[in-house]
Amino acid sequence: GSTLGGAAARTGRYFGTAVSASKLSDSVYTGILSREFTMITPENEMKMDATEPNQNQFSYANADRIVDQATSQGARLRGHTLAWYSQQPGWMQSMEGTALRQAMLNHITQVAGHYRGKIYAWDVVNEAFADGGSGARRDSNLQRTGDDWIEAAFRAARAADPGAKLCYNDYNTDDWNQAKTQAVYRMVQDFKSRGVPIDCVGFQSHFNSNSPVPSNYRTTLQNFADLGVDVQITELDIEGSGTTQADNFRTVTQACLAVPRCTGMTVWGIRDTDSWRASATPLLFDGNGQKKAAYTAVLDALNNG
Ligand code: G3I
């Protein structure tokens, strides 16, 4: 294949990117988007603050523009995200207890229901585990509604859109030997054993010199897949430049290709200048939309996979 999406399709996989609705009027951006990518994740437009700015008043205009773009280019969609400690609307940030639990479930029912049938996979719950060595849940207002908030979220999502794959998504879960990775693994194992509806685990994969691609990354993906879930690389970006950056992107791509249940990978933006951390130049296209060495490394890996 001569494009990322085309090359990934050789092995039945997709290649995606995060998309911002505000950039859909940029023809360089949309040109690369429609040429290269077969999966789209709205970067911010499906988050809780965007879709329910006032309680029980839903706002879908920006997200729907991205859905329309996906439809027009024949790409699929990853929904991001139904329940997260961050980017909650103001009215939700101050809620606790039963009222918050009900508001979360209502949010999931409404938003996943609105997009029913249009979403390949939902990041149902995002970033629910703590960093560091504790292996604990991250403290948040959602967590304080009770440990079962995550499974309640997955059950509500399944009821609202039975055709969507339901994923847990997190970062710093790439190194098999980290406590956070082990904790997420045990949750997925528990959910599978008790029949809680979970279909997939997303590995954000935001890498930099402090958090490089771990040597056991492929092992981590395979171990999760062995629990009976699909795995995806959901927000890939790698700080750096030149050959070193290209080598790291190749390693990540080859790890996904080596795991049959790694169904696809998504980069967190198109051009370096589109990135949430633009100074890290962490993406596959430069600010002018030109292909970087990292692009060629990924394309070659996909074509040889
Ligand atoms: O839309 C407003 C705009 O009106 C205002 O003028 C501007 C001023 O700062 O802010 C704009 O909102 C910003 C939004 O991005 C859109 O650009 C928010 O302040 C900013 O916080 C938000 O950042 C996003 C971040 O999530 C928020 O947590 C990034 O774009 C987005 O890339 C990032 O994505 C997250 C994933 O969802 C979860 N995993 C980590 C990843 C990177 O942080």
Side-chain angles (χ1 to χ4, degrees):
S2 60
T3 63
L4 299 168
R10 291 181 61 254
T11 60
R13 292 177 171 84
Y14 66 82
F15 203 98
T17 181
V19 163
S20 174
S22 65
K23 291 175 186 153
L24 291 175
S25 54
D26 175 340
S27 61
V28 174
Y29 183 84
T30 54
I32 301 170
L33 173 60
S34 55
R35 185 184 76 221
E36 298 283 347
F37 296 99
T38 52
M39 184 74 71
I40 289 176
T41 307
E43 188 171 357
N44 289 295
E45 293 80 353
M46 287 189 182
K47 292 173 180 175
M48 300 177 104
D49 59 350
T51 51
E52 196 178 357
N54 301 298
Q55 189 167 14
N56 252 318
Q57 288 180 8
F58 293 86
S59 165
Y60 297 117
N62 286 329
D64 285 349
R65 289 167 61 202
I66 297 178
V67 173
D68 290 347
Q69 171 68 34
T71 304
S72 75
Q73 70 176 77
R76 291 181 291 170
L77 285 152
R78 186 182 192 89
H80 176 78
T81 173
L82 293 169
W84 189 20
Y85 77 89
S86 182
Q87 281 183 284
Q88 293 180 4
W91 61 266
M92 186 181 278
Q93 290 174 27
S94 54
M95 287 180 87
E96 296 276 354
T98 307
L100 174 61
R101 175 69 68 94
Q102 286 309 316
M104 178 194 81
L105 295 174
N106 181 58
H107 179 85
I108 293 170
T109 300
Q110 294 296 324
V111 176
H114 178 80
Y115 290 110
R116 180 179 173 124
K118 295 183 175 171
I119 303 290
Y120 162 71
W122 265 111
D123 291 330
V124 177
V125 170
N126 195 42
E127 301 175 4
F129 282 81
D131 292 313
S134 70
R137 295 284 183 84
R138 178 193 294 273
D139 181 51
S140 71
N141 60 345
L142 293 170
Q143 176 61 31
R144 290 190 294 272
T145 70
D147 236 30
D148 62 341
W149 74 277
I150 299 181
E151 60 191 84
F154 276 83
R155 290 199 166 96
R158 180 69 95 220
D161 187 354
K165 294 195 181 297
L166 305 183
C167 307
Y168 177 78
N169 191 55
D170 214 329
Y171 66 90
N172 284 353
T173 49
D174 317 292
D175 184 335
W176 179 244
N177 296 319
Q178 290 297 312
K180 187 173 175 181
T181 309
Q182 295 290 317
V184 174
Y185 179 86
R186 284 193 299 273
M187 179 188 74
V188 176
Q189 189 174 45
D190 171 55
F191 280 12
K192 293 302 285 186
S193 74
R194 290 190 296 111
V196 177
I198 185 169
D199 306 304
C200 35
V201 176
F203 296 81
Q204 294 184 10
S205 308
H206 296 291
F207 296 119
N208 57 36
S209 49
N210 294 322
S211 132
V213 184
S215 58
N216 57 25
Y217 187 61
R218 174 193 300 194
T219 300
T220 303
L221 298 178
Q222 186 63 61
N223 286 348
F224 274 84
D226 288 345
L227 291 174
V229 289
D230 290 343
V231 296
Q232 291 109 17
I233 297 166
T234 53
E235 304 181 14
L236 178 63
D237 54 17
I238 309 178
E239 180 177 29
S241 62
T243 307
T244 305
Q245 182 181 49
D247 288 347
N248 283 321
F249 268 101
R250 179 184 302 106
T251 298
V252 169
T253 305
Q254 288 174 338
C256 181
L257 293 170
V259 176
R261 291 198 76 157
C262 182
T263 60
M265 48 195 288
T266 290
V267 288
W268 204 239
I270 297 180
R271 300 161 301 197
D272 284 337
T273 44
D274 299 317
S275 172
W276 66 295
R277 47 176 189 162
S279 64
T281 62
L283 295 173
L284 301 179
F285 295 85
D286 71 17
N288 296 319
Q290 298 298 311
K291 297 169 181 173
K292 295 166 59 180
Y295 173 96
T296 307
V298 170
L299 185 70
D300 289 351
L302 292 171
N303 277 322
N304 292 318

